[in-house]
Amino acid sequence: MSIVIADEPRVAAPPPPEPVVPRRNYLNTEYGVLSWLLTVDHKRIGILYLVSISAFFVVGGIAAGLVRLNLLSPTGAILTEDQYNRMFTAHGVVMLFLFLIPSIPAVFGNFFVPMMIGAKDLAFPKLNLASWYVFMIGAGFAVYAVLVGGIDTGWTLYPPYSSRSHTNVTPGVFGVFITGFSSIMTGLNIMVTIHKMRCPGMTWGRLPLFIWAMYATSFIQLLGTPVVAITLLLLLAERVGGVGIFDPAIGGDPVLYQHMFWFYSHPAVYIMIVPGMGVVSEILTCFSRKNIFGYKAIAWSSVGIAVVGFLVWAHHMYVAGIAYYSALLFSFLTMLVAVPSAIKVFNWLATLFRGSITFHAPMLYTLAFLVLFTVGGVTGLFLATLGTDIHLHDTYFVVAHFHFVMVGGMVLAYMAALHYWWPKMTGRMYSDFWSRASATIIFVGFFFTFVPQFVLGYHGMPRRYPNYPQEFQIYNVLSTAGASILGFGYLLPGIYLPLSLFFGVKSPANPWSATGLEWQCPSPPTTFNFDFVPVVVCGPYEYAIGVDQLGRGLPDPPGPGDAASPYRPVGPAGPIHKETEVVG
Amino acid sequence: MTTDTHKPDDPPTMHDVDKVGSLFVVYFVVLGLAVANILLAEFGHLGNLSLPVQLGIGTVQACLVAWYWMHMRRGDKVVTLTAVTALFFIFIFYVLVLADILTRWRAAI
Ligand code: HEM
Ligand SMILES: [Cu+2]
């Protein structure tokens, strides 16, 4: 490792000529609904997932809006108590199982893993398509269950209530069970692809960090999801067949359910966040024009999270009647899992340090991620501490904690990924102004929504209650007001992104002047991504010397000078402006 | 039950498939063991031994399935490693759950 000090911008190799835009790309090789429904192209399947999970995001968002509206008044503003139960369950089930778990792996994992490692598709293209169908079938059951009649158990489906509740638990559980298989299929596919389909020169040490993150995620998906599948089947056996497993009235142990459920569901929160961390690593380096700081530390901490994440689940059960000794043990183990997350945060900060940072929409979302995820992680430590959790468990403090990591963390990382790769996926640039505006609005709205919930929780407002004492109203009103700002922020990309498909300027192959292999394909890519077999000659983030992974120079990003239209993006400044670390 | 044309160490090829007969033999052995296990539970009267014996039978069944049906005997190192990893994580699950259940009777510290 050496340090390069440079005052002048330097270009090590000439940038490649802008590739000729091919007449046929993956979007226009074939037309018609069937060409999409029967496609085995990983990019088209990624788009199928993008469209479906966006729809589920809207459904889950509407449920959230209704929950927040109801909490405007201490006695429940618009819903009956029964409806309220169903509404927060609908929100949780849809957002977690139908949006967050598939979000980055199924959309951007599908789309970009092959492109970033120089392959022409995933290892099992048909399995990939099958995973989307399985997902949609499961989602069909789940959406039917939560929208027609509803479920009133909360997304955690704890027995004994869930085995006795007269609501739609059976189809809901069945739907979640089925979507689990799609998650396993995607994980398997991505894992095999990373093992077997890397192009020449793409060694493990040269993999982009997004790929490492996806690898760690697949590991969790493969090991964890079968356990929740079995758990849900046992729950169904008890509910439908009357077999006593979890319900104490017929000889079961309800805490056993919680053990089995959280053995999956805690690692599942890492299924949600680790891909986001991968995205952040990509974007931070690109928009600070610096090599990543601590490549190995970030790569291995993803794997570390995947492993240690399996050892901490009972921190959800401190007050559920587990043994004091095991509560103590789990409290200790939970502290451990914060270590790899913190390693990542420190390395990202070091990457930003003295970089030439530009604030485009992907970067704004990423910076928001950094702040919000850190707050979420640190409050996780409050909860991990056995003594404080006895006070905070099942209060709004927990709700605020996990929204900070899941919405502030993962949803923002998802938005960042969407904005970063949108020009590659569609060949069009979105509005620079509106995308920055939406990132800012979301960030502000987020704070207003969830900071009051920390206060509420600390003062003892339980989660999942429709009523509360008068003194809590001010915080709830604040939170609902914030949620409406947040909702508006999410609405904006729903408008300017589709508009960009028709009115956006055409994007060059490498609009952000990034180093990854995916930027070597034309925008949008052709069906098999590369016309040649790429040969990788260096690590993924050589921003310091300004070369991409093929060893060619980085193109000058389009600057303000050639502002042909208001949509013209202003790319980050050229290869290097500051001293930077060179790795490898 | 390996095919005659290949030594066990040879990398698998397209033609390296199981004979239908051998798969069925394994299938019936697994079924037979299942029946044996059920009968043992009903009429065995093994007392304290019944749990280890029955779990032992189950383990044999699982190994047969893994070895023949899941083609573990042909798997390369990565496949074996993956399978062992999965077992290891199940092991963690059991140990930590039992750490809870077996100490619940103790009072607070
Ligand atoms: C930095 C490491 C983290 C630590 C130490 C941590 C710790 C905890 C603890 C102890 C609880 C249980 C609180 C209670 O119910 O009393 C909890 C709840 C939760 N955490 Fe975290 N957490 C961390 C990161 C994350 C991440 C990254 C996510 C998701 C992306 C997440 C999602 C959740 C969820 C969804 C719950 C609540 C589940 C429920 O009861 O509905 N956490 N966390
Ligand atoms: Cu957890």
Side-chain angles (χ1 to χ4, degrees), chain A residues 155-156 262 266 269-270 272-273 315-316 318 334 337-338 341 373 377 380-381 383-384 389 392-394 398 401-402 405-406 463-464:
Chain A
W155 78 278
T156 47
W262 288 114
H266 182 81
V269 306
Y270 291 109
M272 302 170 210
I273 197 74
H315 61 217
H316 297 272
Y318 289 149
T334 303
V337 81
S341 308
F373 173 75
L381 285 174
L383 298 169
D389 187 60
L392 296 172
H393 176 68
D394 263 354
V398 177
H401 154 69
F402 67 72
V405 272
M406 298 203 301
R463 63 192 284 201
R464 296 180 176 164

Side-chain angles (χ1 to χ4, degrees), chain A residues 335-423:
Chain A
M335 307 267 171
L336 285 187
V337 81
V339 174
S341 308
I343 290 181
K344 282 182 191 288
V345 172
F346 288 133
N347 281 294
W348 289 326
L349 287 183
T351 305
L352 285 175
F353 181 62
R354 307 193 76 176
S356 359
I357 300 170
T358 44
F359 299 93
H360 292 273
M363 187 62 165
L364 284 181
Y365 280 113
T366 301
L367 292 175
F369 170 101
L370 268 189
V371 175
L372 301 180
F373 173 75
T374 307
V375 175
V378 169
T379 52
L381 285 174
F382 295 18
L383 298 169
T385 312
L386 184 50
T388 36
D389 187 60
I390 290 171
H391 173 60
L392 296 172
H393 176 68
D394 263 354
T395 66
Y396 258 83
F397 194 91
V398 177
V399 176
H401 154 69
F402 67 72
H403 281 88
F404 260 82
V405 272
M406 298 203 301
V407 183
M410 184 58 172
V411 176
L412 285 197
Y414 175 81
M415 299 295 278
L418 193 60
H419 285 81
Y420 184 55
W421 281 315
W422 182 265

Side-chain angles (χ1 to χ4, degrees), chain A residues 428-492:
Chain A
R428 299 290 182 147
M429 218 51 217
Y430 46 81
S431 154
D432 191 47
F433 171 78
W434 284 108
S435 57
R436 293 184 202 218
S438 109
T440 319
I441 293 172
I442 289 177
F443 187 63
V444 172
F446 184 90
F447 263 99
F448 273 108
T449 314
F450 293 106
V451 170
Q453 297 188 3
F454 278 127
V455 183
L456 276 175
Y458 186 76
H459 288 295
M461 174 158 168
R463 63 192 284 201
R464 296 180 176 164
Y465 279 31
N467 308 319
Y468 53 83
Q470 186 66 49
E471 69 206 77
F472 288 156
Q473 188 167 19
I474 172 77
Y475 296 110
N476 275 300
V477 170
L478 257 180
S479 179
T480 303
S484 51
I485 303 179
L486 191 56
F488 178 66
Y490 285 131
L491 213 59
L492 288 178

